[in-house]
Amino acid sequence: MSVEFPMRRCPFSPPPDYARLRDEAPVSQVTMPDGKQAWLLTRYEDVKAVLSDRRFSTEPGQPGYPFISPARASLLINEQPAPLIRLDPPEHTRHRRMLTREFALAQVGKMRPAIQRTVDELLDRLEEKGPPADFAEEFALALPTTVIAGILGVPYEDREYFQERAQAKLDLTAEPEVPVRAGEEMRAYLDNLITEKMRDPDAHDDLISRLVTRQVQPGNLSREQALATIELLLMGGHETTANMIALGTLSLLLNPGQRDELIANPDLVPGAVEEMLRFHTIVHYNGPRVALEDVEVGGQLIRAGEGVLAMVSAANRDPEQFTGPDAFDIHRDARHHLAFSFGVHQCLGQQLARAELQIVFGTLFQRLPALRLAVPEEELNFNFDAFVYGIKSLPLTWTPREPERKRQFTVDDSACVGGGLCALAAPAVFSQNEDDGLVVVLDEDPPESEREAVREAARLCPALAIRVES
């Protein structure tokens, strides 16, 4: 009797069944919600092999494709045209190459200063508002939403509209009509946006406008295909990164020693980000495929038309690839993880996601080293029932920093003529160097009781070397 799929994961780990099956039957049959059978792969090498093998299709219309829930089946069957992530080569290749330049490493590098400014501005707002805060909503979601909206040319003020519909599309437990309706509403919204861009596409420097001028207008891409592409980028550009920021932050809060190491040594940040990606593997149901012909995987013959679940979350916890895989360790070399998938369908925006995460974790705890949970860990509410795993709310608090005191006065040493009147007027604040008679500042931040004396010293200074700031 096969195991029922999907299994429920733990807050910080894939379902325990994955580890058991990896030991007992790494290629094993499971029963899908619709009663059909599919092959579940739990070893790193087997998952990687299937994801890179074009004999396995990612198209939901192929007979035997495994649907992980009725809601997911309804969405994928009714999603026409399908986005590039659900197309097989050569059509997938053609669509992807239209976008590769937009998310290349060099292009993402140019975005880093703008991402840093956004991070700083969001942290400024958090500090200005004061603790506590729902970090998941006010920072983790706000950052990638701002970034991808800016790249695409989608109005940020419409964020609630598209965020709600993105979440509805990803809810595996929703009634089957809910994700379909959410997808229709999302594409209708984006269709209106395309209409606006097409009135004067050269007036805007954003990805949607470039897609219109370079691909839609020349006839390389239909308007409907462009909508599917834009929707995929909008959803993938904010939902996944938002959850990764929140869970990465939580991991460091629960491992304060590693957090302190990051504060002391920012060079550890890139490696820490890769470990976060591996450890959480938030697109935890990524990997459904169907065999187009008979293929042997891990010693098991998989016949044409049989569904396969190449679970990247299981692969990223394979002890044959990652020593002590269930431990979070920022010193681990996790660069060969499969969190962004593998093969032709690996994440198009992975370099953008990395840039955002590296900037966040190179800044966050430098700015707020006292950041901590505002509720007990057991009260945190995780989003188990979504295609993209995450945390629904992350209440955090911190000790507000003391406001920087404005310097009361400045002294131009080069202008001092050694008259000594400052030391006579404010002896608790100024003195004279015994060797050359020039001014010596004894107290750069004198108490309130000395401030009038400082002002008097400034008035008496014959060289005007003392300037009172406040």
Side-chain angles (χ1 to χ4, degrees), residues 136-156:
E137 178 73 24
E138 298 178 47
F139 183 88
L141 182 58
L143 172 65
T145 301
T146 302
V147 172
I148 195 62
I151 292 171
L152 292 174
V154 174
Y156 180 73

Side-chain angles (χ1 to χ4, degrees), residues 364-386:
L364 177 61
F365 290 101
Q366 299 288 343
R367 285 279 300 268
L368 297 173
L371 199 64
R372 60 190 182 276
L373 284 171
V375 298
E377 180 186 344
E378 55 270 18
E379 292 184 15
L380 296 175
N381 191 6
F382 294 88
N383 200 4
F384 293 99
D385 300 320

Side-chain angles (χ1 to χ4, degrees), residues 76-340:
L76 301 189
I77 291 170
N78 289 283
E79 196 174 42
Q80 297 298 330
L84 67 92
I85 197 172
R86 285 184 275 282
L87 298 175
D88 290 336
E91 193 67 3
H92 167 270
T93 307
R94 186 175 74 84
H95 285 241
R96 186 181 176 105
R97 285 179 178 172
M98 295 178 185
L99 300 165
T100 302
R101 179 173 59 179
E102 300 282 353
F103 296 97
L105 189 60
Q107 182 63 24
V108 170
K110 297 175 184 177
M111 302 178 194
R112 279 180 170 266
I115 297 171
Q116 182 68 66
R117 284 193 299 273
T118 304
V119 168
D120 293 337
E121 289 168 4
L122 289 171
L123 291 176
D124 287 344
R125 286 181 213 164
L126 276 183
E127 289 197 87
E128 193 174 313
K129 179 183 173 184
D134 180 359
F135 187 79
E137 178 73 24
E138 298 178 47
F139 183 88
L141 182 58
L143 172 65
T145 301
T146 302
V147 172
I148 195 62
I151 292 171
L152 292 174
V154 174
Y156 180 73
E157 54 268 25
D158 294 342
R159 63 191 179 280
E160 288 187 11
Y161 185 89
F162 60 75
Q163 285 170 355
E164 287 173 1
R165 279 143 189 84
Q167 290 168 4
K169 288 189 68 175
L170 295 170
D171 187 350
L172 301 178
T173 63
E175 292 298 318
E177 66 273 9
V178 170
V180 175
R181 184 170 61 250
E184 291 171 348
E185 292 172 350
M186 180 88 90
R187 290 197 182 185
Y189 164 77
L190 293 172
D191 190 53
N192 289 333
L193 194 59
I194 283 183
T195 299
E196 293 178 20
K197 303 282 187 184
M198 290 185 76
R199 290 193 184 106
D200 189 4
D202 294 327
H204 307 281
D205 184 22
D206 57 59
L207 195 153
I208 294 178
S209 297
R210 290 191 291 275
L211 202 62
V212 167
T213 56
R214 297 173 184 174
Q215 307 299 341
V216 177
Q217 290 179 336
N220 301 323
L221 199 66
S222 72
R223 186 184 179 110
E224 291 73 22
Q225 289 170 329
L227 283 172
T229 297
I230 296 165
E231 182 188 28
L232 174 67
L233 296 175
L234 181 58
M235 287 184 59
H238 80 271
E239 188 71 26
T240 51
T241 308
N243 284 295
M244 198 62 254
I245 292 170
L247 288 171
T249 299
L250 180 58
S251 293
L252 291 172
L253 291 176
L254 297 178
N255 293 272
Q258 297 187 55
R259 175 205 61 202
D260 293 345
E261 286 188 82
L262 280 191
I263 294 173
N265 184 4
D267 289 342
L268 294 174
V269 168
V273 165
E274 299 305 317
E275 174 65 352
M276 292 173 191
L277 291 163
R278 179 204 72 86
F279 184 76
H280 292 291
T281 314
I282 58 172
V283 189
H284 55 156
Y285 291 124
N286 194 353
R289 298 287 191 273
V290 60
L292 299 177
E293 57 183 85
D294 292 357
V295 185
E296 184 175 307
V297 178
Q300 173 65 52
L301 178 64
I302 297 176
R303 298 194 178 278
E306 292 184 336
V308 177
L309 300 162
M311 291 290 96
V312 293
S313 54
N316 282 340
R317 295 298 182 96
D318 187 343
E320 291 296 317
Q321 289 296 320
F322 305 99
T323 303
D326 295 326
F328 177 75
D329 181 5
I330 63 172
H331 297 285
R332 182 195 310 276
D333 182 2
R335 289 174 296 177
H336 54 299
H337 64 75
L338 303 181
F340 290 118

